[in-house]
Amino acid sequence: GQQVMQIPQYQHVQEGEDFTTYCNSSTTLSNIQWYKQRPGGHPVFLIQLVKSGEVKKQKRLTFQFGEAKKNSSLHITATQTTDVGTYFCAGMVTNAGKSTFGDGTTLTVKP
Amino acid sequence: GAVVSQHPSRVICKSGTSVKIECRSLDFQATTMFWYRQFPKQSLMLMATSNEGSKATYEQGVEKDKFLINHASLTLSTLTVTSAHPEDSSFYICSARDSLAGVTQYFGPGTRLTVL
């Protein structure tokens, strides 16, 4: 079945450093979504990428969708303590109707 | 933004009893809802896809007779864990897809089930 791999599993950074998490799929995706889950909370939708090579920005967050639509990345510039949490990608295969979640990358930020 | 609620937020029950969890989309209609299970510090495991007015589609390995899903309206889906056992203890999260807004899922706050 479809697999979505996410790396790294954990990332510890000093406040102000950058952070990147990568998502790779074994199959071509129709779209990919990114979520953030704070400790003790539920996943919150961040963004959806649909087009090959797409790049979207949300303030300090930059999201990319690979040309082959098999990989994606989330980059945070100058992390803040409010960025802590687990970031999940979720990829959807064309016409599958459902998304498969990666294992998530847990970010901790040292002030 | 779109809001999804879940009730109850926490439930503790005795082994052998059944527990019903409700998932509601509060300000949009959702023909499709999803039920996930999440173990501590792990990812979300899709259990089933709930479609309004039809039978749910269960993922491989998920017992449909144990996890009963009903999606009777465009704003409500329920998950009933029947004859619960301690190994069913987990965090259950639902999500709903806005029928008019593509494939974006909005997640509920989750239900922490503890089976004694």
Side-chain angles (χ1 to χ4, degrees):
Chain A
Q2 182 201 359
Q3 289 190 332
V4 176
M5 310 295 289
Q6 202 172 340
I7 57 170
Q9 186 175 2
Y10 298 98
Q11 186 77 56
H12 311 285
V13 300
Q14 193 76 36
E15 188 173 23
E17 292 181 338
D18 292 355
F19 159 77
T20 305
T21 172
Y22 300 90
C23 189
N24 296 292
S25 169
S26 56
T27 54
T28 303
L29 303 170
S30 61
N31 65 71
I32 193 161
Q33 301 174 1
W34 285 92
Y35 296 84
K36 177 183 178 180
Q37 185 174 21
R38 292 180 184 273
H42 63 278
V44 174
F45 173 78
L46 294 177
I47 209 160
Q48 178 176 276
L49 304 172
V50 179
K51 299 177 182 177
S52 168
E54 188 170 15
V55 178
K56 287 189 176 180
K57 291 190 175 184
Q58 289 180 349
K59 297 183 180 178
R60 294 179 293 105
L61 277 62
T62 302
F63 303 85
Q64 293 189 354
F65 201 8
E67 294 289 342
K69 299 182 75 173
K70 284 188 172 183
N71 54 70
S72 180
S73 65
L74 158 58
H75 179 81
I76 301 179
T77 304
T79 55
Q80 300 176 358
T81 55
T82 53
D83 294 325
V84 298
T86 301
Y87 292 85
F88 291 100
C89 64
M92 178 183 288
V93 174
T94 303
N95 298 325
K98 60 186 180 182
S99 296
T100 299
F101 278 77
D103 289 335
T105 296
T106 298
L107 171 67
T108 55
V109 179
K110 188 182 296 185
Chain B
V3 177
V4 175
S5 71
Q6 265 183 258
H7 177 81
S9 58
R10 291 177 182 270
V11 58
I12 300 174
C13 69
K14 292 182 179 180
S15 186
T17 60
S18 294
V19 175
K20 179 185 283 188
I21 303 170
E22 294 185 348
C23 178
R24 294 181 186 272
S25 56
L26 299 185
D27 51 1
F28 64 96
Q29 292 185 334
T31 54
T32 304
M33 292 186 173
F34 302 91
W35 287 97
Y36 295 86
R37 187 171 178 175
Q38 187 176 33
F39 291 102
K41 300 185 179 181
Q42 293 190 24
S43 188
L44 291 85
M45 184 190 77
L46 180 64
M47 298 175 66
T49 302
S50 171
N51 298 297
E52 187 268 336
S54 65
K55 291 183 178 180
T57 303
Y58 290 82
E59 295 300 301
Q60 191 172 8
V62 178
E63 299 176 60
K64 57 183 178 182
D65 294 331
K66 179 167 185 62
F67 299 100
L68 301 178
I69 291 173
N70 184 278
H71 193 157
S73 78
L74 288 171
T75 59
L76 172 65
S77 175
T78 61
L79 168 68
T80 301
V81 182
T82 62
S83 187
H85 291 284
E87 58 265 30
D88 298 324
S89 299
S90 189
F91 194 54
Y92 292 87
I93 307 178
C94 73
S95 70
R97 180 183 291 164
D98 188 337
S99 304
L100 302 177
V103 297
T104 303
Q105 297 179 55
Y106 299 96
F107 283 83
T111 296
R112 174 76 61 193
L113 169 64
T114 303
V115 185
L116 303 177

